[in-house]
Amino acid sequence: MKTQNLTIMFTDIKGFTQRTSGASREGLHDLLSRHEKLLTPVVKKFGGRIVKTIGDAFLVVFESPTNAVLSGILIQEALRDYNISMPENERIMVRISLNSGEVELRDGDVFGEAVNIAARIEGITEANEIYFTESVYLAMNKSEVPSSEVGYRLLKGIPHEIKVYRVIQDHQSIDFKELITRLRETESRPGATRKKYLAAISAIIMVLACSIFYWWSGTSGRVLSGIQSALTQDNLPLAKARSSTMAARFPGDPSTIRACNLVLHAETAKLCREKRFTEAMELISRSRNEHSWLDTSDAEKKVLLFQAAFPLESGDLSTSERRFAEVLARYPEDREVWQAIVKSIGGVYNNNVFTTAFEAANKLAQSDPDPDPKIGEIIFHGLLNSMSSYSVNSEQIQILKHKFPETANIAKRFLCHNRFRIRTNAAVLKNAISPSDTVEALEMHFFNLTHLTGTGRMDTDDDDADLETGVIPVEEDIYWLNLALEFIDAASDHPEWQEWKNRARISGFKMIPSLLAENDTVEIVFELLIKAFPVETRSALPAWLTDTINLPVRCSALWLMPFVGTVETFDADVFHEQSMCETLAGYFPESYAVLFEMALEHFKAKLNGAEREKALRILKKAISSLDRHIAYSSTAEGVEDSLAFSIPMMMEFKNSIEVLIGN
């Protein structure tokens, strides 16, 4: 039985079966003839041999894996050039699959598992694409072929998973354009035919020489096949022994280099699975010292990636991220590194992503004409948390707009997020990718109307305070509040206003603007509430007035009363007594100070009237409440809660009450 290590190529035409049902025999013959005329010269140019054609499919073999892939690239380019001038129903779009391995040669045909794998890979290949297996990837000249990992695939009839790669055909890439130019120049270069004959004669002489030389000792190709077989059966010691034999007999031979790399990858992968990373790196170093012709950079990179991913097993995301950042700094333009980072730490955690994953995702999105949707999610969440509303990264947003338009749906979920920065960034991203409709805009603007203060200040118990200080830039606060006022004011005059309100997620109307100062903005906001939400505002006001937990709401509700009119259930004495005496210990935000001062003025006016005793009782009760606040704020827990800053203010109020009572 005669065998040989070859690279097998399968090609077939997309939609050929459907064409056969609607085309004449002459039409099909013409299609297949044009197909053959386009492919055959390219295949022969790269030293390929057409074994047979099966309908629209070609089975081709190459001695060189690199030439096989380059042939596939030029085939796709030839078809693209052809299709440009053809009507859509006459275009030819093919898919190409490649695999390398030992095949049996019989009667001009090829047989074996390597052929079966190539055929199965063709079944998962998309039109206009070139897919190839790891055996091709390891053997080819990677510097000549731009490629990316597709992933492991379990194929019908193949007992183990096969790692698949694809050629990156990025026509916007300068490197890819230069590659196509080189391939075409080689094709049309004067004297190329003569050189082919000379090369063929040289190849025959070399084959004869090698056959004679290795007749008794066995060829490197046969030994390589044995190594591949041993690794398939997980017999690493046998594979290692055979690669040592090859290194001794055929040092520097391409098959020897491939064999040693296969064994080195298998050994280091085993050590990495056992968490013996230092030993793996030492093995790589020894291999490099023993065989100067062996390129160990790929094996070293894979060990570093294994090591970076290891902390994830114990949930240590930060250590893993730091290690992946180091790998990325070492291999900044390596696509395999980008993919490993995205796969390992590309998840979204608390609506955010790791900086390293964000960087890797951006590189993948820029280099891949059809990137995975997961890449878009990573870029979106990275921008969502880091972007300033006033410094939009236009390049990244354009990537989202053109390559990941579906991220507009993710942005919708954050238009009413509690954190100011996230919801405003979501609004910017949503409108840049796909402008919001009226209902989406209403939801966002209503949320801003009821959560922004107009001053940049926020109570410390409010989830909106997304900065440590509980403060957002005043100019941004005012900018977004004004946008909300303008939008709702204009929308409320529209005939469909009521329908928009019903469709928007603002039912219940449980929140009032938490404004911390009585100023012109407050008056504008309240007038708009009465205009746009009259029924909702009046029905919700009593509940706002009796809220003893959310003091900004309580404060704003009191200022809103003159705009609404009389509230039958409102009792001013009860309201002000609650403001002075019924709040949480140590809780003394600015809004409480405003309410306390208003209550103090209210009961001060009653000291000289018929309700003096009632006023005195409540003021004494207020002193006890202040003592409770001061005592808590003086404790270690109170200081830790950052409440000690309000002690002077509380002491001032206490002194004011004592002066009033003394008078």
Side-chain angles (χ1 to χ4, degrees):
M1 181 177 68
K2 185 178 180 181
T3 63
Q4 187 177 357
N5 269 286
L6 296 172
T7 297
I8 303 96
M9 171 192 285
F10 273 97
T11 77
D12 75 350
I13 300 174
K14 174 189 175 184
F16 182 75
T17 303
Q18 289 84 347
R19 287 192 181 189
T20 59
S21 62
S24 64
R25 283 187 298 172
E26 292 78 9
L28 288 177
H29 181 271
D30 181 58
L31 171 67
L32 293 175
S33 177
R34 284 181 282 132
H35 176 231
E36 184 176 353
K37 287 179 181 178
L38 288 166
L39 268 64
T40 301
V42 181
V43 168
K44 289 183 177 179
K45 162 186 159 46
F46 286 94
R49 177 174 70 87
I50 299 175
V51 177
K52 59 184 174 182
T53 60
I54 310 166
D56 65 314
F58 274 52
L59 169 57
V60 186
V61 294
F62 297 81
E63 292 187 3
S64 164
T66 304
N67 280 356
V69 181
L70 295 176
S71 173
I73 293 173
L74 204 54
I75 286 172
Q76 295 291 20
E77 285 303 306
L79 291 171
R80 283 190 182 90
D81 293 343
Y82 169 81
N83 290 334
I84 289 174
S85 59
M86 301 301 293
E88 187 171 353
N89 62 342
E90 294 186 29
R91 292 175 184 171
I92 301 175
M93 291 181 285
V94 306
R95 51 186 181 174
I96 299 174
S97 63
L98 298 156
N99 180 44
S100 293
E102 184 179 28
V103 299
E104 179 187 349
L105 306 176
R106 188 185 343 131
D107 300 327
D109 207 342
V110 289
F111 304 90
E113 185 180 54
V115 180
N116 296 337
I117 291 174
R120 293 302 184 192
I121 295 295
E122 182 191 38
I124 64 170
T125 305
E126 300 292 335
N128 303 320
E129 291 281 2
I130 306 164
Y131 278 23
F132 54 92
T133 61
E134 187 174 29
S135 61
V136 178
Y137 177 78
L138 292 174
M140 73 184 190
N141 186 344
K142 301 175 187 60
S143 65
E144 291 189 56
V145 181
S147 62
S148 66
E149 181 181 323
V150 175
Y152 285 93
R153 295 292 185 270
L154 191 59
L155 306 172
K156 183 178 179 181
I158 309 300
H160 53 279
E161 287 188 327
I162 302 294
K163 193 173 186 180
V164 181
Y165 294 78
R166 61 186 284 268
V167 174
I168 302 173
Q169 302 174 78
D170 184 2
H171 290 80
Q172 304 303 315
S173 166
I174 295 176
D175 291 341
F176 189 73
K177 290 178 181 178
E178 291 177 349
L179 171 62
I180 298 302
T181 301
R182 288 197 304 273
L183 295 178
R184 285 175 169 164
E185 285 177 349
T186 303
E187 183 178 32
S188 59
R189 188 173 61 241
T193 302
R194 181 171 177 270
K195 289 183 179 180
K196 285 182 182 178
Y197 286 120
L198 292 174
I201 293 171
S202 299
I204 292 171
I205 294 171
M206 289 184 68
V207 168
L208 289 173
C210 289
S211 298
I212 295 169
F213 183 79
Y214 297 128
W215 177 260
W216 295 106
S217 61
T219 67
S220 60
R222 286 181 180 276
V223 182
L224 174 61
S225 297
I227 290 172
Q228 291 173 318
S229 177
L231 291 175
T232 302
Q233 299 168 17
D234 291 328
N235 192 341
L236 184 56
L238 177 59
K240 186 176 180 181
R242 287 178 172 176
S243 70
S244 297
T245 300
M246 286 190 72
R249 289 183 177 181
F250 321 117
D253 182 89
S255 293
T256 302
I257 294 172
R258 183 180 173 193
C260 290
N261 266 319
L262 285 172
V263 172
L264 180 60
H265 277 81
E267 284 191 280
T268 52
K270 181 176 183 295
L271 290 170
C272 287
R273 287 194 296 272
E274 296 169 356
K275 314 300 183 291
R276 297 157 63 187
F277 304 113
T278 302
E279 292 178 54
M281 295 302 285
E282 290 172 350
L283 172 62
I284 291 171
S285 179
R286 287 198 305 273
S287 299
R288 187 168 53 245
N289 292 334
E290 291 172 6
H291 309 301
S292 59
W293 36 263
L294 186 62
D295 182 2
T296 61
S297 58
D298 195 56
E300 187 172 355
K301 175 182 66 181
K302 283 181 168 57
V303 172
L304 293 174
L305 291 174
F306 261 112
Q307 194 170 17
F310 171 60
L312 295 174
E313 295 183 11
S314 59
D316 189 352
L317 294 170
S318 59
T319 298
S320 184
E321 200 266 347
R322 176 176 54 78
R323 289 181 179 176
F324 273 118
E326 293 170 355
V327 178
L328 183 60
R330 185 168 179 173
Y331 305 96
E333 302 304 323
D334 191 296
R335 187 177 185 83
E336 186 179 3
V337 171
W338 305 342
Q339 291 173 326
I341 291 171
V342 167
K343 181 179 179 181
S344 300
I345 59 170
V348 178
Y349 310 96
N350 296 324
N351 299 322
N352 207 344
V353 293
F354 286 114
T355 302
T356 306
F358 180 66
E359 183 179 349
N362 272 290
K363 289 177 177 291
L364 285 169
Q366 291 171 13
S367 64
D368 196 336
D370 185 25
D372 189 312
K374 180 182 178 182
I375 303 299
E377 293 183 25
I378 295 172
I379 295 174
F380 173 86
H381 282 93
L383 291 175
L384 185 71
N385 284 271
S386 63
M387 184 182 73
S388 167
S389 300
Y390 294 96
S391 58
V392 176
N393 187 323
S394 59
E395 180 181 4
Q396 290 167 325
I397 287 185
Q398 289 304 309
I399 288 175
L400 292 180
K401 181 177 181 179
H402 296 294
K403 293 189 176 183
F404 307 101
E406 67 278 4
T407 54
N409 294 323
I410 303 176
K412 289 181 184 180
R413 303 202 303 261
F414 296 96
L415 293 176
C416 296
H417 196 275
N418 281 337
R419 290 185 59 195
F420 170 81
R421 179 65 63 208
I422 286 181
R423 70 173 178 269
T424 52
N425 282 347
V428 172
L429 290 168
K430 173 66 176 68
N431 285 314
I433 301 166
S434 175
S436 299
D437 61 30
T438 303
V439 172
E440 291 169 350
L442 174 57
E443 291 172 352
M444 181 196 69
H445 287 306
F446 178 78
F447 197 93
N448 280 334
L449 178 70
T450 56
H451 284 70
L452 296 176
T453 67
T455 63
R457 294 169 293 170
M458 293 179 165
D459 276 349
T460 54
D461 68 331
D462 196 324
D463 287 338
D464 284 350
D466 59 326
L467 303 179
E468 292 181 1
T469 58
V471 174
I472 60 175
V474 176
E475 66 276 9
E476 293 192 42
D477 186 324
I478 295 173
Y479 171 78
W480 287 97
L481 183 58
N482 285 336
L483 279 184
L485 290 168
E486 292 171 8
F487 178 87
I488 294 175
D489 186 36
S492 62
D493 292 328
H494 196 278
E496 296 184 61
W497 169 243
Q498 193 58 48
E499 181 185 347
W500 292 338
K501 281 201 301 182
N502 293 338
R503 289 169 53 198
R505 294 176 295 175
I506 56 176
S507 59
F509 205 75
K510 297 177 181 178
M511 180 62 72
I512 188 175
S514 302
L515 302 162
L516 302 181
E518 193 170 11
N519 52 34
D520 292 341
T521 302
V522 172
E523 185 174 336
I524 295 171
V525 170
F526 289 162
E527 288 177 348
L528 182 59
L529 286 177
I530 299 302
K531 173 190 174 183
F533 308 98
V535 176
E536 297 91 341
T537 302
R538 289 187 174 90
S539 62
L541 186 57
W544 294 337
L545 288 167
T546 55
D547 190 335
T548 58
I549 302 300
N550 197 330
L551 297 182
V553 167
R554 182 181 177 85
C555 185
S556 296
L558 187 62
W559 289 332
L560 177 60
M561 278 188 62
F563 296 86
V564 175
T566 303
V567 178
E568 294 180 0
T569 59
F570 179 69
D571 185 323
D573 287 350
V574 172
F575 177 88
H576 290 301
E577 182 178 357
Q578 288 177 336
S579 297
M580 299 181 82
C581 308
E582 297 182 16
T583 55
L584 299 174
Y587 183 60
F588 207 89
E590 186 176 354
S591 53
Y592 187 5
V594 173
L595 287 167
F596 203 101
E597 189 169 357
M598 292 167 63
L600 187 58
E601 291 298 320
H602 175 79
F603 290 115
K604 178 181 177 181
K606 290 180 176 288
L607 288 176
N608 297 322
E611 297 184 89
R612 175 181 172 79
E613 291 303 319
K614 180 180 180 180
L616 285 172
R617 176 181 60 78
I618 293 173
L619 289 171
K620 290 176 181 179
K621 184 179 177 182
I623 291 176
S624 299
S625 177
L626 286 169
D627 285 338
R628 181 164 50 93
H629 284 300
I630 294 168
Y632 176 80
S633 298
S634 301
T635 63
E637 185 180 1
V639 172
E640 187 177 338
D641 286 346
S642 302
L643 297 169
F645 72 90
S646 59
I647 291 178
M649 187 184 299
M650 289 186 282
M651 291 295 297
E652 184 179 342
F653 278 124
K654 180 180 177 181
N655 292 336
S656 298
I657 295 174
E658 288 174 343
V659 170
L660 286 175
I661 293 174
N663 292 339

